[in-house]
Amino acid sequence: ADIKKLRSSLMAEFPALTKKMLDALLSKDDIYILKCSNGTSLYAPIESAPAFFDDGFGGVFPTLTTLWRFPTIMPELVTYGPVSKRLLPSERAAGADLMLPGVIMPEEGLGEFGVGQKRCIRVQDNSMPIAVGKMLVSSKEVEANGLKGKGMSVIHVYRDALWTYSGRKIPNDGFLADEVQAAEGSTMVAALPAEEEAAEEEQEQEAEEGAEEEEADEAEEEMTPDALLEYCFYAALKTTCSDSELPISADKFYSHHMQPARPPKQPPLDAKRTSYKQIGKYIKQMHKSKAISVREVKNVITILSVDRSAPAYIEFV
C-alpha cells in the first residue's frame, strides 16, 4: 500500500516520469524501505541502488542513480563546471548550496516556480545531473531581484554519502574527483528493459572485478546484523572518518560513514536489526570498551576521539 501510494504521488509530482519509467525504477513488488537514523528513508529495489529517498520532512526525491537513467524527469538548473567544486563535499566539509550568480540563465528563462520546488543541477554541456534539491527563492523574487543570493538548497549531490552507498558509479567521463566538467553522452543506458539489464550486468561485472581475490573464489557469507555493525564501525574509522572529522554526532557518523562502509555483497546496514536496536546504544558500548570517547548532552551523543592504538582498531583489515 505504501509503495502504491508512493508511485502515485511521484507520477503526480513529476509529470515527465512515465509509468514505464517507474516500473523500471520501482516495481510493485521486491521493494525495500530502509529507514535511516537521521529520519530519512531510502526506497530501493532488492539488490539495486536506491531509486528515491525522502528528506525526513515528507519530500521524496529521485537519487542521482535514477536521474542518470532518466535525466529529464525533473526541472533543472545549469551551472558552470568550476562552480561544481563548491557543491561537492570534501573530506573536511559538506558541499555548499547553489548560489544564483552561478546559474546560467537559458534563453527561455527558468519558468515559473515557487519556494520549495524540486530541481536538479547539471553542468553546462554535460547532460547528467550532479545534484538534487529544492529552490530557496521563487521566480517572482528572481524577476524582482535578479540572480543574487542563494538559489537552491542541495540535498543530495555527487560524492556524498548516498552516492557512496549507491555504489560510487559515475555516468560519464566529466565526473572527476573534485569537479564535474563538460562531457558528451552517458555510459548509462535507460531506453529498453533489455538494454537496462545489459547495463546492470556490465556494472555488476565491474564490481566483481574490483572485489577482493577471496571473493572471486567463493561466495561471501552474509554477516549477522551485529557483525555487520561492528565491521562498518571499524571500517568507517579506518577509511572515511579521520580525526579531522571529529567531533561528530553519532547519527552523522552512522549515516555519513558507517552506512557507506557496508561491504558490497552484504545487506543494508540497519541498527534496528541488531541486538542493540539503536545506534546510540552501540556507540555508548564502544565508549565503555574504550574504543572511542563520547559525550552525551540532552540525548545527543557526540564522538570526541578515537583510540587508534587499540588492538581491535589496529587488527581490523
Side-chain angles (χ1 to χ4, degrees), residues 88-95 159-161 164 233 235-258 260 292-293 295 301-306 308 313:
L88 306 187
S90 64
E91 293 183 359
R92 297 187 177 182
R159 299 194 71 81
D160 68 2
T164 301
F233 173 79
L237 293 179
K238 278 214 162 183
T239 55
T240 61
C241 190
S242 61
D243 288 341
S244 63
E245 296 280 337
L246 305 177
I248 185 172
S249 70
D251 284 348
K252 185 175 181 181
F253 175 68
Y254 178 68
S255 61
H256 286 60
H257 297 281
M258 288 183 64
I292 55 176
S293 174
R295 176 184 62 205
I301 302 171
T302 302
I303 300 174
L304 303 176
S305 63
V306 178
R308 301 189 187 273
Y313 177 89

Side-chain angles (χ1 to χ4, degrees), residues 20-291:
K20 186 176 180 180
M21 291 177 182
L22 198 53
D23 286 343
L25 295 167
L26 286 180
S27 63
K28 296 178 182 178
D29 303 311
D30 298 328
I31 297 294
Y32 72 85
I33 303 175
L34 175 62
K35 296 187 179 296
C36 305
S37 62
N38 60 0
T40 63
S41 297
L42 307 180
Y43 303 91
I46 301 297
E47 298 183 355
S48 295
F52 295 90
F53 70 97
D54 73 45
D55 60 1
F57 300 96
V60 180
F61 297 77
T63 63
L64 287 177
T65 303
T66 290
L67 288 174
W68 291 341
R69 296 175 68 185
F70 305 107
T72 60
I73 62 174
M74 67 189 308
E76 66 180 19
L77 294 177
V78 182
T79 190
Y80 303 96
V83 174
S84 67
K85 292 183 178 181
R86 300 188 179 186
L87 304 180
L88 306 187
S90 64
E91 293 183 359
R92 297 187 177 182
D97 291 331
L98 179 62
M99 305 296 288
L100 285 175
V103 173
I104 300 174
M105 181 69 74
E107 292 183 2
E108 66 275 16
L110 298 175
E112 292 188 10
F113 56 89
V115 175
Q117 186 199 47
K118 299 172 185 177
R119 290 206 173 205
C120 65
I121 303 171
R122 69 173 179 86
V123 164
Q124 188 179 33
D125 297 325
N126 191 322
S127 61
M128 295 293 104
I130 68 169
V132 297
K134 51 189 177 182
M135 298 301 298
L136 296 171
V137 294
S138 67
S139 54
K140 291 183 179 179
E141 291 176 273
V142 172
E143 290 175 7
N145 304 320
L147 296 176
K148 299 178 182 179
K150 287 189 176 183
M152 197 180 95
S153 171
V154 174
I155 297 175
H156 167 37
V157 63
Y158 167 56
R159 299 194 71 81
D160 68 2
L162 179 52
W163 170 81
T164 301
Y165 181 78
S166 299
R168 299 174 179 265
K169 298 293 191 298
I170 59 173
N172 59 43
D173 294 338
F175 281 68
L176 308 178
D178 60 351
E179 182 180 0
V180 178
Q181 301 176 347
E184 295 182 0
S186 167
T187 58
M188 302 182 73
V189 182
L192 301 174
E195 293 173 338
E196 292 167 2
E197 183 177 353
E200 289 175 1
E201 288 177 356
E202 182 179 350
Q203 292 171 3
E204 290 173 2
Q205 183 177 356
E206 291 175 357
E208 289 173 0
E209 291 174 353
E212 298 180 359
E213 293 182 2
E214 62 265 22
E215 291 179 354
D217 295 331
E218 57 183 7
E220 183 177 350
E221 294 184 5
E222 183 174 312
M223 295 181 182
T224 65
D226 281 19
L228 182 60
L229 188 69
E230 182 176 357
Y231 176 94
C232 293
F233 173 79
Y234 282 107
L237 293 179
K238 278 214 162 183
T239 55
T240 61
C241 190
S242 61
D243 288 341
S244 63
E245 296 280 337
L246 305 177
I248 185 172
S249 70
D251 284 348
K252 185 175 181 181
F253 175 68
Y254 178 68
S255 61
H256 286 60
H257 297 281
M258 288 183 64
Q259 288 185 335
R262 175 184 63 92
K265 296 183 179 181
Q266 294 296 329
L269 177 62
D270 186 355
K272 293 180 180 178
R273 295 181 57 207
T274 70
S275 61
Y276 299 93
K277 302 302 180 183
Q278 297 176 348
I279 187 59
K281 290 184 178 180
Y282 178 75
I283 293 298
K284 287 193 281 188
Q285 177 59 38
M286 299 312 289
H287 170 73
K288 290 180 180 178
S289 69
K290 299 186 178 180

